[in-house]
Amino acid sequence: DEMDVDTIWKNGEFLDWEDATTHVLTHALHYGSGVFEGVRCYDTDRGPAVFRWEEHLDRLFDSAKMYDMDIEHSREEITEATLELLDRQDLESCYIRPIAYYGYDSLGVSPEGCPTDLVLAAWPWGAYLGEEALEDGVDVMVSSWRKHASSQVPTNVKTTGLYVNSMLAGEEARRNGYVEAIVLNKEGNVAEGPGENIFMVNDGEIYTTGPAQSILEGITRDTVITLAEERGYEVHDEAVISRGQLYTADELFFTGSAAEVTPIRSVDDTEIGAGTRGPVTEELQSAFFDLVERRTGDHDEWFTYL
Ligand code: PMP
């Protein structure tokens, strides 16, 4: 199959791809009541290493808590199942997708009575915004769609239903010839990308939006903040960034488990800085890849080795 997946773990069992199905009347399909994660595993000299697994599990359980979902498997069980899933498929460098969702019982909006299904899948996945994007940067547009306000729906947890907003913003951008979108919040300030956090560099200082701007506090965001501070940068991690500041920034880049560290070279056809990957972006991007590919021994506590 196209995704190179032959085994899926569901509710405690390893299933063949074609058997990993769910009923069309599943609650989550109708109401977006799923919570999920996206995690990367890197191929390193010490074997496959899952990056910041514990933090992703924390967020998965926080997301489930928000929707009163009872994940009936322990963290240890989920971790063991995930590692075995990679092992069974000989996956080295890959993307891991845990998802918990309300399954089938009845179709009232209330999930009362619906089981919480838990699924683990993994597949090889290259650079999310393209291999050249990591070096050359991406052209993005400011979407006409606004992010949900965190007073309307919790934006600090990762819920499947929220991604219709990401899809609209991303597809609008791609329809217009851009690679990705930047989404503003209800106030009209910068929130984040459809599946990425955003960073700005100005006069050698680093700015990124925080939870009050209706963002998901990314684990890659936290990683990059840590790497930047370790290198002596001042990081403003609750910044309010106006739309206008995007165009005049020295550098902009996206972060995310899928997008990793991707430079932004233009916004709405306005070149950012020199219109190429900026020096601070390059430094942090190298630090990130040196870290995750284990060319440095730093932060070994962030890795779960197969
Ligand atoms: N914001 C949104 C909306 C996302 O979907 C993601 C991807 N999970 C991120 C930010 C980045 O989060 P992380 O670095 O934890 O992948």
Side-chain angles (χ1 to χ4, degrees), residues 77-200:
E77 221 180 321
I78 298 170
T79 304
E80 205 178 298
T82 301
L83 298 180
E84 186 174 342
L85 186 69
L86 303 193
D87 193 42
R88 281 184 183 221
Q89 299 179 96
D90 292 322
L91 288 168
E92 287 165 343
S93 164
C94 65
Y95 183 84
I96 304 166
R97 166 57 54 83
I99 180 169
Y101 59 93
Y102 279 120
Y104 174 67
D105 178 67
S106 62
L107 269 184
V109 170
S110 168
E112 175 102 42
C114 293
T116 295
D117 289 330
L118 179 66
V119 170
L120 304 167
W123 60 87
W125 210 5
Y128 183 62
L129 298 173
E131 200 61 53
E132 333 77 63
L134 292 175
E135 206 174 309
D136 301 341
V138 287
D139 299 312
V140 308
M141 75 174 270
V142 173
S143 179
S144 65
W145 294 102
R146 297 287 172 91
K147 202 92 207 171
H148 317 91
S150 56
S151 57
Q152 297 171 311
V153 64
T155 50
N156 61 321
V157 296
K158 205 166 157 63
T159 313
T160 58
L162 300 192
Y163 284 80
V164 291
N165 177 264
S166 297
M167 193 174 86
L168 287 165
E171 291 313 293
E172 179 187 34
R174 286 181 278 277
R175 235 184 355 258
N176 285 283
Y178 302 91
V179 173
E180 189 59 303
I182 291 174
V183 190
L184 305 179
N185 61 24
K186 217 166 147 254
E187 290 69 46
N189 293 314
V190 175
E192 59 186 340
E196 305 89 357
N197 290 115
I198 187 165
F199 283 72
M200 175 173 83

Side-chain angles (χ1 to χ4, degrees), residues 27-38:
H27 191 276
L29 179 62
H30 294 252
Y31 305 121
S33 59
V35 297
F36 69 108
E37 278 303 315

Side-chain angles (χ1 to χ4, degrees), residues 37-38 56 59 147 158 163 166 192-197 216-221 255-258:
E37 278 303 315
H56 283 281
R59 194 168 65 190
K147 202 92 207 171
K158 205 166 157 63
Y163 284 80
S166 297
E192 59 186 340
E196 305 89 357
N197 290 115
L216 184 74
E217 276 180 280
I219 292 161
T220 322
R221 171 184 176 279
T255 65
S257 298

